[in-house]
Amino acid sequence: MKHAVQQTPDTAIQITGLNKWYGAYHALRDINLTVRRGEKIVICGPSGSGKSTMIRCINALEEHQEGQITVDGTVLSSDLKNIDTVRSEVGMCFQHFNLFPHLTILENCTLAPIWVRKIPQAEAEATAMHYLEKVKIPDQAHKYPGQLSGGQQQRVAIARSLCMKPRIMLFDEPTSALDPEMIKEVLDTMVALANDGMTMLCVTHEMGFARQVADRVIFMDQGQIVEENTPEPFFESPKNDRTKLFLSQLLGH
Amino acid sequence: MSQSNDLIPPRPAPQSANGILGRIQALAAQGPSHLILSVISYAAMAAMIWLILRWAISPTWTAGSLAECREILQGQHGKACWGVINERWSQLLIGFYPKAEFWRPALAFVLLGLAIFAMLRVNARAMERKLAVIPFVLTPYLLWGGPIWSWVVLFGAACLLLVMNKLLRSTNAKADFAIRIAFIGAAVWLAMNISDALPPSLKDLGLEPVKSREFGGFLLSFLIGLSAILFSLPMGVALALGRTSKLPLLRVVSTGFIEFIRGVPLITLLFIASTLLNIFLPPGTNFDIIVRVIIMVTLFASAYIAEIVRGALAAVPKGQTEGAASLGLNYWQTQRLIILPQALKISIPGIVSTFIAVFKDTTLVSIIGLLDPLGLANNIRADSAWTGIVWEIYGFAALIFFIFCFAMSQYSMWLERQLQTGHR
């Protein structure tokens, strides 16, 4: 698959010729991907296929050695200022939530707006409460993360990212560490977010979610994008053998 | 097993599980050998307390010498001679600091006590924290005295700096920093040179100067211990961050410093402070001995604190850094707001242990000739009136040290409970 290397105002993320090595191990190989504004992309693939590494490259949590990543018109370089700008525009949710345990839920949500965006505290708190209501846990605002269930914590993590008013949201296996009964509440939040028009890249194995909201599904294996398609044909008639194998294992049980 | 849709309602825990009664019952249930051992242990403790009290309760408070003590006790053996504490307690507290000026260290330590109390509360207001800085700035002047002008300049500068913190917010951080450094430099220069500019009648206005050699007793221990504690924490944190930094030079320098200091006994550093340093300093410089000792003890403590903090930094999950980074926080914001609060909480027991050790290690200064409580104890025992006194002086010193070390340890446990937020 070759992508035209050109950017339009409609492009949210442009990845060209991305390569990454961990020591001698070639983790990402010639990745090309263009994400339009408002597009929802689900990335799946076996463990170790590089899907997390790829989306972590987008906000520079991982360094890449070759290729170019352009996020919202900003080219990611080693310049730290650039990186902080990109990160404040790109929200991210992690598998293990990564909430700050020494701060209350509200403080978790207001910290970055106050310190990075220099927003007055009262305004930041109002915004935080707005998003906490959106993820349906405003009543927990003054508790600490350790007092919440996993599902609630992940919803707080989503609200915390949204408080920075990001243009793009990255999800790195947001439901993998959750009990089955809590997965739904997090997915519902993500679906609502998708319906609001957010640009989203989700690494997830929740295929129901993929069918429901994804504009495109990407299958990765051994550091490469093996197959990409709209959900319907991707699930019904995968072309690549490895995709077929993966899907049969995933849906088989 | 029969299946039922009814849930079993919760029942209260049995009485024996908790309370003193429960413990006695549990002890009795262990059988006679446990009971006998318990009785013997309690009896031994009671005997020890009785022995100490029998020694300590002794009507010798007014005695002027060991001979007078013996007269009062009329041949009773195994009794304390408290006259030495009565006669010398002020010396044990402040050494040879002028008696007429006793109010100065007293006032300084009362103010410091209040300030520390205000700072150590978890939920102290920002204003209280700022006010609490004042006694720390005031203490050196109260203790050493001398012409007031340099201190007025420094104190004024410190106040201005607080005001500047308010005004200079949210602009360029680097420029902010540069302005502050320049401001501090200018203040120090002014403080050093201001007396030349003043008319002779005003020049010497201020408290009577007290020389460092006159400082002694617990005043000296507190002064050295408190300063070392105060300065070694930020320095230790900086060294820990340096040692975990990605910048090779910073890492090598921090690691080298920590390993060197930890590889050298404190007493060696103190000897360097008292003798060797004079050789390296330009001739004629009079670098205060107490300041030299404080610097050495601070360096010593900071190396240990750095290692404790480094361990704690490693214990904070990597996801915390990533979470902060994903929100756009820069390195310093991440360290200050996310990593250090968690790391310092983990390292409270280790840090307080180091503080306690440092406070007790201040007694080593008696070896380089400073008159801390132990140095004074030797002095007093050399006095012909008190030759032969041992337990009373050292016991008194031990008691005071114990009170403060115990308080520190209790505070650390209280702080840990206060910072518990239900995670882990």
Side-chain angles (χ1 to χ4, degrees), chain B residues 278-301:
Chain B
N278 280 344
I279 299 170
F280 293 119
L281 290 172
T285 42
N286 186 16
F287 193 15
D288 190 277
I289 179 71
I290 293 181
V291 175
R292 277 184 272 167
V293 166
I294 288 175
I295 290 173
M296 285 304 178
V297 178
T298 303
L299 295 182
F300 184 77

PDB file of all heavy atoms in Angstrom, chain B residues 278-301:
ATOM      1  N   ASN B 278      41.261  25.340  55.707  1.00  0.00           N
ATOM      2  CA  ASN B 278      42.030  26.573  55.859  1.00  0.00           C
ATOM      3  C   ASN B 278      43.224  26.615  54.925  1.00  0.00           C
ATOM      4  O   ASN B 278      43.662  27.683  54.505  1.00  0.00           O
ATOM      5  CB  ASN B 278      42.512  26.715  57.297  1.00  0.00           C
ATOM      6  CG  ASN B 278      41.407  27.242  58.172  1.00  0.00           C
ATOM      7  OD1 ASN B 278      40.417  27.765  57.669  1.00  0.00           O
ATOM      8  ND2 ASN B 278      41.556  27.093  59.468  1.00  0.00           N
ATOM      9  N   ILE B 279      43.762  25.441  54.618  1.00  0.00           N
ATOM     10  CA  ILE B 279      44.941  25.399  53.758  1.00  0.00           C
ATOM     11  C   ILE B 279      44.572  25.786  52.331  1.00  0.00           C
ATOM     12  O   ILE B 279      45.326  26.453  51.640  1.00  0.00           O
ATOM     13  CB  ILE B 279      45.552  23.970  53.782  1.00  0.00           C
ATOM     14  CG1 ILE B 279      45.961  23.642  55.211  1.00  0.00           C
ATOM     15  CG2 ILE B 279      46.734  23.878  52.837  1.00  0.00           C
ATOM     16  CD1 ILE B 279      46.352  22.200  55.418  1.00  0.00           C
ATOM     17  N   PHE B 280      43.371  25.370  51.918  1.00  0.00           N
ATOM     18  CA  PHE B 280      42.976  25.631  50.536  1.00  0.00           C
ATOM     19  C   PHE B 280      42.422  27.037  50.354  1.00  0.00           C
ATOM     20  O   PHE B 280      42.496  27.592  49.269  1.00  0.00           O
ATOM     21  CB  PHE B 280      41.930  24.606  50.088  1.00  0.00           C
ATOM     22  CG  PHE B 280      42.478  23.223  49.990  1.00  0.00           C
ATOM     23  CD1 PHE B 280      41.981  22.193  50.763  1.00  0.00           C
ATOM     24  CD2 PHE B 280      43.530  22.949  49.119  1.00  0.00           C
ATOM     25  CE1 PHE B 280      42.494  20.920  50.672  1.00  0.00           C
ATOM     26  CE2 PHE B 280      44.056  21.678  49.020  1.00  0.00           C
ATOM     27  CZ  PHE B 280      43.537  20.661  49.806  1.00  0.00           C
ATOM     28  N   LEU B 281      41.846  27.596  51.418  1.00  0.00           N
ATOM     29  CA  LEU B 281      41.268  28.930  51.285  1.00  0.00           C
ATOM     30  C   LEU B 281      42.389  29.968  51.251  1.00  0.00           C
ATOM     31  O   LEU B 281      43.445  29.757  51.830  1.00  0.00           O
ATOM     32  CB  LEU B 281      40.328  29.205  52.462  1.00  0.00           C
ATOM     33  CG  LEU B 281      39.038  28.398  52.450  1.00  0.00           C
ATOM     34  CD1 LEU B 281      38.279  28.606  53.743  1.00  0.00           C
ATOM     35  CD2 LEU B 281      38.176  28.766  51.257  1.00  0.00           C
ATOM     36  N   PRO B 282      42.153  31.068  50.544  1.00  0.00           N
ATOM     37  CA  PRO B 282      43.186  32.111  50.511  1.00  0.00           C
ATOM     38  C   PRO B 282      43.489  32.608  51.918  1.00  0.00           C
ATOM     39  O   PRO B 282      42.584  32.666  52.759  1.00  0.00           O
ATOM     40  CB  PRO B 282      42.538  33.211  49.657  1.00  0.00           C
ATOM     41  CG  PRO B 282      41.105  32.864  49.542  1.00  0.00           C
ATOM     42  CD  PRO B 282      41.001  31.401  49.727  1.00  0.00           C
ATOM     43  N   PRO B 283      44.760  32.943  52.205  1.00  0.00           N
ATOM     44  CA  PRO B 283      45.137  33.351  53.558  1.00  0.00           C
ATOM     45  C   PRO B 283      44.352  34.582  53.990  1.00  0.00           C
ATOM     46  O   PRO B 283      44.057  35.457  53.181  1.00  0.00           O
ATOM     47  CB  PRO B 283      46.632  33.652  53.440  1.00  0.00           C
ATOM     48  CG  PRO B 283      46.926  33.713  51.982  1.00  0.00           C
ATOM     49  CD  PRO B 283      45.893  32.942  51.285  1.00  0.00           C
ATOM     50  N   GLY B 284      44.012  34.611  55.250  1.00  0.00           N
ATOM     51  CA  GLY B 284      43.300  35.777  55.779  1.00  0.00           C
ATOM     52  C   GLY B 284      41.794  35.647  55.714  1.00  0.00           C
ATOM     53  O   GLY B 284      41.080  36.407  56.348  1.00  0.00           O
ATOM     54  N   THR B 285      41.279  34.665  54.943  1.00  0.00           N
ATOM     55  CA  THR B 285      39.827  34.508  54.926  1.00  0.00           C
ATOM     56  C   THR B 285      39.394  33.880  56.246  1.00  0.00           C
ATOM     57  O   THR B 285      40.012  32.936  56.734  1.00  0.00           O
ATOM     58  CB  THR B 285      39.358  33.606  53.779  1.00  0.00           C
ATOM     59  OG1 THR B 285      40.235  32.505  53.690  1.00  0.00           O
ATOM     60  CG2 THR B 285      39.277  34.347  52.476  1.00  0.00           C
ATOM     61  N   ASN B 286      38.345  34.417  56.803  1.00  0.00           N
ATOM     62  CA  ASN B 286      37.843  33.883  58.062  1.00  0.00           C
ATOM     63  C   ASN B 286      36.493  33.243  57.789  1.00  0.00           C
ATOM     64  O   ASN B 286      35.463  33.899  57.811  1.00  0.00           O
ATOM     65  CB  ASN B 286      37.724  35.005  59.096  1.00  0.00           C
ATOM     66  CG  ASN B 286      37.337  34.443  60.438  1.00  0.00           C
ATOM     67  OD1 ASN B 286      37.446  33.239  60.664  1.00  0.00           O
ATOM     68  ND2 ASN B 286      36.865  35.301  61.311  1.00  0.00           N
ATOM     69  N   PHE B 287      36.515  31.971  57.490  1.00  0.00           N
ATOM     70  CA  PHE B 287      35.321  31.242  57.107  1.00  0.00           C
ATOM     71  C   PHE B 287      34.790  30.559  58.366  1.00  0.00           C
ATOM     72  O   PHE B 287      35.471  29.725  58.945  1.00  0.00           O
ATOM     73  CB  PHE B 287      35.719  30.238  56.019  1.00  0.00           C
ATOM     74  CG  PHE B 287      34.555  29.616  55.305  1.00  0.00           C
ATOM     75  CD1 PHE B 287      33.290  30.154  55.392  1.00  0.00           C
ATOM     76  CD2 PHE B 287      34.743  28.486  54.526  1.00  0.00           C
ATOM     77  CE1 PHE B 287      32.237  29.582  54.727  1.00  0.00           C
ATOM     78  CE2 PHE B 287      33.698  27.909  53.852  1.00  0.00           C
ATOM     79  CZ  PHE B 287      32.442  28.462  53.955  1.00  0.00           C
ATOM     80  N   ASP B 288      33.630  30.968  58.794  1.00  0.00           N
ATOM     81  CA  ASP B 288      33.098  30.566  60.081  1.00  0.00           C
ATOM     82  C   ASP B 288      33.105  29.044  60.275  1.00  0.00           C
ATOM     83  O   ASP B 288      32.672  28.292  59.400  1.00  0.00           O
ATOM     84  CB  ASP B 288      31.674  31.093  60.209  1.00  0.00           C
ATOM     85  CG  ASP B 288      31.165  30.925  61.611  1.00  0.00           C
ATOM     86  OD1 ASP B 288      30.693  29.815  61.938  1.00  0.00           O
ATOM     87  OD2 ASP B 288      31.260  31.892  62.371  1.00  0.00           O
ATOM     88  N   ILE B 289      33.589  28.608  61.441  1.00  0.00           N
ATOM     89  CA  ILE B 289      33.723  27.171  61.697  1.00  0.00           C
ATOM     90  C   ILE B 289      32.365  26.471  61.705  1.00  0.00           C
ATOM     91  O   ILE B 289      32.214  25.369  61.168  1.00  0.00           O
ATOM     92  CB  ILE B 289      34.487  26.908  63.017  1.00  0.00           C
ATOM     93  CG1 ILE B 289      34.608  25.404  63.291  1.00  0.00           C
ATOM     94  CG2 ILE B 289      33.850  27.586  64.198  1.00  0.00           C
ATOM     95  CD1 ILE B 289      35.540  24.677  62.376  1.00  0.00           C
ATOM     96  N   ILE B 290      31.345  27.123  62.270  1.00  0.00           N
ATOM     97  CA  ILE B 290      30.024  26.469  62.320  1.00  0.00           C
ATOM     98  C   ILE B 290      29.462  26.323  60.908  1.00  0.00           C
ATOM     99  O   ILE B 290      28.907  25.284  60.544  1.00  0.00           O
ATOM    100  CB  ILE B 290      29.059  27.260  63.228  1.00  0.00           C
ATOM    101  CG1 ILE B 290      29.545  27.167  64.672  1.00  0.00           C
ATOM    102  CG2 ILE B 290      27.645  26.718  63.117  1.00  0.00           C
ATOM    103  CD1 ILE B 290      28.673  27.871  65.670  1.00  0.00           C
ATOM    104  N   VAL B 291      29.648  27.367  60.099  1.00  0.00           N
ATOM    105  CA  VAL B 291      29.151  27.289  58.720  1.00  0.00           C
ATOM    106  C   VAL B 291      29.865  26.160  57.990  1.00  0.00           C
ATOM    107  O   VAL B 291      29.250  25.390  57.245  1.00  0.00           O
ATOM    108  CB  VAL B 291      29.346  28.632  57.993  1.00  0.00           C
ATOM    109  CG1 VAL B 291      28.957  28.509  56.532  1.00  0.00           C
ATOM    110  CG2 VAL B 291      28.548  29.717  58.671  1.00  0.00           C
ATOM    111  N   ARG B 292      31.201  26.036  58.229  1.00  0.00           N
ATOM    112  CA  ARG B 292      31.954  24.967  57.578  1.00  0.00           C
ATOM    113  C   ARG B 292      31.411  23.596  57.980  1.00  0.00           C
ATOM    114  O   ARG B 292      31.224  22.708  57.136  1.00  0.00           O
ATOM    115  CB  ARG B 292      33.432  25.053  57.967  1.00  0.00           C
ATOM    116  CG  ARG B 292      34.188  26.053  57.120  1.00  0.00           C
ATOM    117  CD  ARG B 292      35.642  26.031  57.475  1.00  0.00           C
ATOM    118  NE  ARG B 292      35.947  26.933  58.570  1.00  0.00           N
ATOM    119  CZ  ARG B 292      37.095  26.917  59.243  1.00  0.00           C
ATOM    120  NH1 ARG B 292      38.013  26.022  58.959  1.00  0.00           N
ATOM    121  NH2 ARG B 292      37.306  27.779  60.209  1.00  0.00           N
ATOM    122  N   VAL B 293      31.141  23.447  59.278  1.00  0.00           N
ATOM    123  CA  VAL B 293      30.612  22.162  59.753  1.00  0.00           C
ATOM    124  C   VAL B 293      29.236  21.894  59.161  1.00  0.00           C
ATOM    125  O   VAL B 293      28.946  20.785  58.707  1.00  0.00           O
ATOM    126  CB  VAL B 293      30.564  22.149  61.302  1.00  0.00           C
ATOM    127  CG1 VAL B 293      29.725  20.986  61.792  1.00  0.00           C
ATOM    128  CG2 VAL B 293      31.965  22.068  61.852  1.00  0.00           C
ATOM    129  N   ILE B 294      28.385  22.938  59.128  1.00  0.00           N
ATOM    130  CA  ILE B 294      27.038  22.758  58.553  1.00  0.00           C
ATOM    131  C   ILE B 294      27.145  22.298  57.104  1.00  0.00           C
ATOM    132  O   ILE B 294      26.439  21.393  56.669  1.00  0.00           O
ATOM    133  CB  ILE B 294      26.227  24.075  58.653  1.00  0.00           C
ATOM    134  CG1 ILE B 294      25.823  24.325  60.102  1.00  0.00           C
ATOM    135  CG2 ILE B 294      24.993  24.017  57.759  1.00  0.00           C
ATOM    136  CD1 ILE B 294      25.126  25.646  60.329  1.00  0.00           C
ATOM    137  N   ILE B 295      28.059  22.915  56.340  1.00  0.00           N
ATOM    138  CA  ILE B 295      28.216  22.528  54.935  1.00  0.00           C
ATOM    139  C   ILE B 295      28.600  21.053  54.835  1.00  0.00           C
ATOM    140  O   ILE B 295      28.014  20.288  54.061  1.00  0.00           O
ATOM    141  CB  ILE B 295      29.275  23.416  54.243  1.00  0.00           C
ATOM    142  CG1 ILE B 295      28.732  24.824  54.091  1.00  0.00           C
ATOM    143  CG2 ILE B 295      29.652  22.849  52.876  1.00  0.00           C
ATOM    144  CD1 ILE B 295      29.741  25.825  53.587  1.00  0.00           C
ATOM    145  N   MET B 296      29.566  20.631  55.652  1.00  0.00           N
ATOM    146  CA  MET B 296      30.024  19.248  55.575  1.00  0.00           C
ATOM    147  C   MET B 296      28.921  18.264  55.966  1.00  0.00           C
ATOM    148  O   MET B 296      28.707  17.253  55.298  1.00  0.00           O
ATOM    149  CB  MET B 296      31.240  19.039  56.481  1.00  0.00           C
ATOM    150  CG  MET B 296      32.506  19.628  55.915  1.00  0.00           C
ATOM    151  SD  MET B 296      32.860  18.994  54.267  1.00  0.00           S
ATOM    152  CE  MET B 296      34.326  19.883  53.845  1.00  0.00           C
ATOM    153  N   VAL B 297      28.221  18.568  57.064  1.00  0.00           N
ATOM    154  CA  VAL B 297      27.153  17.655  57.495  1.00  0.00           C
ATOM    155  C   VAL B 297      26.048  17.618  56.441  1.00  0.00           C
ATOM    156  O   VAL B 297      25.475  16.563  56.155  1.00  0.00           O
ATOM    157  CB  VAL B 297      26.598  18.075  58.882  1.00  0.00           C
ATOM    158  CG1 VAL B 297      25.470  17.160  59.303  1.00  0.00           C
ATOM    159  CG2 VAL B 297      27.706  18.043  59.915  1.00  0.00           C
ATOM    160  N   THR B 298      25.754  18.779  55.826  1.00  0.00           N
ATOM    161  CA  THR B 298      24.735  18.827  54.774  1.00  0.00           C
ATOM    162  C   THR B 298      25.133  17.952  53.588  1.00  0.00           C
ATOM    163  O   THR B 298      24.336  17.159  53.088  1.00  0.00           O
ATOM    164  CB  THR B 298      24.532  20.276  54.294  1.00  0.00           C
ATOM    165  OG1 THR B 298      24.169  21.077  55.405  1.00  0.00           O
ATOM    166  CG2 THR B 298      23.454  20.342  53.241  1.00  0.00           C
ATOM    167  N   LEU B 299      26.402  18.096  53.150  1.00  0.00           N
ATOM    168  CA  LEU B 299      26.868  17.277  52.024  1.00  0.00           C
ATOM    169  C   LEU B 299      26.728  15.804  52.363  1.00  0.00           C
ATOM    170  O   LEU B 299      26.274  14.990  51.556  1.00  0.00           O
ATOM    171  CB  LEU B 299      28.331  17.602  51.701  1.00  0.00           C
ATOM    172  CG  LEU B 299      28.631  19.010  51.197  1.00  0.00           C
ATOM    173  CD1 LEU B 299      30.109  19.148  50.877  1.00  0.00           C
ATOM    174  CD2 LEU B 299      27.800  19.324  49.974  1.00  0.00           C
ATOM    175  N   PHE B 300      27.136  15.464  53.596  1.00  0.00           N
ATOM    176  CA  PHE B 300      27.105  14.074  54.028  1.00  0.00           C
ATOM    177  C   PHE B 300      25.672  13.533  53.984  1.00  0.00           C
ATOM    178  O   PHE B 300      25.401  12.491  53.387  1.00  0.00           O
ATOM    179  CB  PHE B 300      27.666  13.987  55.453  1.00  0.00           C
ATOM    180  CG  PHE B 300      27.786  12.596  55.979  1.00  0.00           C
ATOM    181  CD1 PHE B 300      28.817  11.776  55.560  1.00  0.00           C
ATOM    182  CD2 PHE B 300      26.868  12.094  56.895  1.00  0.00           C
ATOM    183  CE1 PHE B 300      28.935  10.484  56.045  1.00  0.00           C
ATOM    184  CE2 PHE B 300      26.980  10.818  57.383  1.00  0.00           C
ATOM    185  CZ  PHE B 300      28.014  10.012  56.958  1.00  0.00           C
ATOM    186  N   ALA B 301      24.740  14.293  54.593  1.00  0.00           N
ATOM    187  CA  ALA B 301      23.352  13.827  54.650  1.00  0.00           C
ATOM    188  C   ALA B 301      22.730  13.772  53.253  1.00  0.00           C
ATOM    189  O   ALA B 301      21.970  12.853  52.937  1.00  0.00           O
ATOM    190  CB  ALA B 301      22.534  14.744  55.555  1.00  0.00           C
TER     191      ALA B 301
END
